[in-house]
Amino acid sequence: MPLKMWLIPLVCVRPECGKHRLTAAGLYRTVRKVLDIDRWYDLATEYLECKGCKKKYPAWSEDILGQLDMGHRSQFPALLTYRYSCDNRVLRMMRERTLGNSVTQLYKKLMEQHSEAWTQRVLQYLTACEPFTRSSLVQPPVFTEPPLLPALPRPKWLLSVYARDVLGRLHEVKAKITSVFGCVLKMDSTKKVTKKLDGAASGTAAWCTNVGNEQGQVLVSVLTAAEGHGLDSVAAGLMKRYRKAGEAAPKVMYVDRDCCSQHDQSRVKVMFLEWAELEVCLDIWHFMRRFAAGVTTEAHLLYGIFMARLSTCIFQWDPEDVACTYVRYKTLFCLLNF
């Protein structure tokens, strides 16, 4: 109830109305059923009316929630859908999508939590009824049967709610992604991501090109129909991001192809022409692969030994890291012996 509880001035969102102030019009008739971690709860709201155009708004609509400041907006507890609603605490459990953390696994966890909480409430109800049964001398009283455990929405609904939550945080996600920078970048393409596309998106892209920094963070990711195709807009967007943020231009760009040219500047250098001091280099892995281009097969017995020796010729151990590792292992060895 943002108007009754907080006295926040709310206005009508219709352009022809002229932003008339909304007034209270009682309670909204519909009460929503919200899915929580271990139970369901009911959510009610107030009804707001515009005296100019006579349009009414429930206070949980996006037209009203969009007018609240971040502090009050964050207190709204749920995401509403057509039939059911989902509490924000359940949504947070879906945001960490790691290996094994699927919507089916979340559905099983919710079922377990709801079952245990329902069992506890049934036991409390039966415990409260027991004294009346013992005190009856003639005819034992008849109690109402406890309600059945409400059914949970299926995993498909949970996945759709998660998608709506991501769309609602799209501006925040974009802000986090576009605030990542680096002075040493690497651009590489892979087919592994596009092979996982399913449904209507299946077969719409062949390559996924990523640009990362020296800390392993991804600055931008784009799907293309061919390797290296349509990356001019990506380069323009990256240069614009650095320019608007006032960040220094990267020093090195590692690529897996188009790092050099026999006649003029390389294609990658032309794409990032605004970064005049950028040095485009072939990344170490593909550099090593070119040494092994003459090997007929990777299954050769000497292939692994050759690549390992080649790696020691390129990389050098940091003495400080080696010393720290030695002290760490020595301490661990002493603790195990103790």
Side-chain angles (χ1 to χ4, degrees):
M1 295 186 175
L3 185 61
K4 283 188 173 296
M5 293 182 61
W6 300 320
L7 301 179
I8 297 178
L10 303 171
V11 297
C12 182
V13 298
R14 298 181 66 180
E16 62 274 12
C17 184
K19 294 185 178 181
H20 278 85
R21 290 282 295 272
L22 299 179
T23 58
L27 292 177
Y28 191 52
R29 291 185 177 181
T30 304
V31 177
R32 302 303 302 268
K33 190 177 182 181
V34 184
L35 173 67
D36 204 351
I37 293 178
D38 59 350
R39 66 189 66 203
W40 294 85
Y41 66 85
D42 296 325
L43 181 66
T45 188
E46 62 182 341
Y47 217 15
L48 306 175
E49 183 182 9
C50 175
K51 294 298 184 181
C53 61
K54 304 301 181 181
K55 181 175 176 57
K56 293 185 178 181
Y57 301 88
W60 57 39
S61 65
E62 289 297 329
D63 295 331
I64 303 301
L65 296 178
Q67 300 183 40
L68 305 181
D69 57 87
M70 292 299 296
H72 292 98
R73 176 66 177 84
S74 62
Q75 296 186 42
F76 188 70
L79 189 150
L80 308 183
T81 63
Y82 177 74
R83 184 176 180 183
Y84 298 113
S85 303
C86 188
D87 191 89
N88 291 332
R89 296 191 297 174
V90 179
L91 292 173
R92 296 188 189 102
M93 297 175 65
M94 289 189 284
R95 290 178 183 175
E96 194 66 28
R97 299 299 303 279
T98 56
L99 182 63
N101 185 21
S102 61
V103 290
T104 304
Q105 182 69 18
L106 175 62
Y107 174 79
K108 294 179 181 179
K109 292 180 180 179
L110 291 176
M111 179 63 72
E112 181 180 0
Q113 294 285 346
H114 278 240
S115 299
E116 291 185 0
W118 176 82
T119 302
Q120 291 179 2
R121 291 195 295 270
V122 170
L123 289 176
Q124 293 174 4
Y125 172 72
L126 296 177
T127 303
C129 295
E130 185 179 2
F132 297 95
T133 305
R134 292 198 307 263
S135 62
S136 177
L137 299 177
V138 180
Q139 183 179 0
V142 178
F143 300 100
T144 305
E145 290 289 334
L148 298 177
L149 175 65
L152 291 180
R154 304 305 298 175
K156 186 177 181 180
W157 179 83
L158 294 173
L159 187 60
S160 65
V161 172
Y162 172 71
R164 292 189 58 177
D165 175 57
V166 173
L167 290 176
R169 297 182 290 110
L170 191 59
H171 295 290
E172 179 184 351
V173 173
K174 285 184 177 180
K176 288 183 178 180
I177 295 175
T178 55
S179 61
V180 178
F181 301 94
C183 61
V184 179
L185 304 182
K186 179 182 178 181
M187 183 167 60
D188 196 5
S189 301
T190 179
K191 285 187 174 181
K192 295 180 179 179
V193 177
T194 56
K195 291 180 179 179
K196 297 181 179 181
L197 297 177
D198 198 4
S202 179
T204 57
W207 289 89
C208 178
T209 302
N210 306 301
V211 179
N213 60 11
E214 64 274 17
Q215 299 178 358
Q217 298 171 319
V218 177
L219 276 70
V220 64
S221 181
V222 61
L223 299 177
T224 58
E227 186 177 11
H229 176 72
L231 299 181
D232 294 332
S233 58
V234 176
L238 272 179
M239 292 185 292
K240 181 180 179 182
R241 183 194 304 183
Y242 274 77
R243 183 172 62 252
K244 292 180 66 176
E247 290 284 332
K251 300 178 181 179
V252 184
M253 169 75 76
Y254 286 102
V255 294
D256 59 348
R257 53 180 295 175
D258 298 330
C259 58
C260 53
S261 176
Q262 296 180 354
H263 307 288
D264 203 352
Q265 291 181 332
S266 66
R267 184 173 180 274
V268 177
K269 183 68 176 179
V270 173
M271 284 195 305
F272 296 95
L273 195 60
E274 185 177 326
W275 296 339
E277 299 181 358
L278 179 67
E279 183 178 357
V280 181
C281 303
L282 184 67
D283 70 81
I284 302 300
W285 170 244
H286 289 86
F287 177 72
M288 294 170 58
R289 294 277 293 180
R290 293 190 181 186
F291 271 96
V295 181
T296 57
T297 174
E298 295 182 6
H300 195 280
L301 295 177
L302 298 179
Y303 177 80
I305 300 176
F306 172 73
M307 297 298 286
R309 296 294 184 268
L310 184 60
S311 175
T312 58
C313 296
I314 298 175
F315 296 100
Q316 182 179 0
W317 288 100
D318 188 347
E320 295 183 1
D321 289 347
V322 174
C324 292
T325 305
Y326 172 74
V327 173
R328 193 178 300 112
Y329 276 102
K330 185 177 180 181
T331 305
L332 179 61
F333 180 74
C334 294
L335 291 174
L336 292 175
N337 288 340
F338 178 77

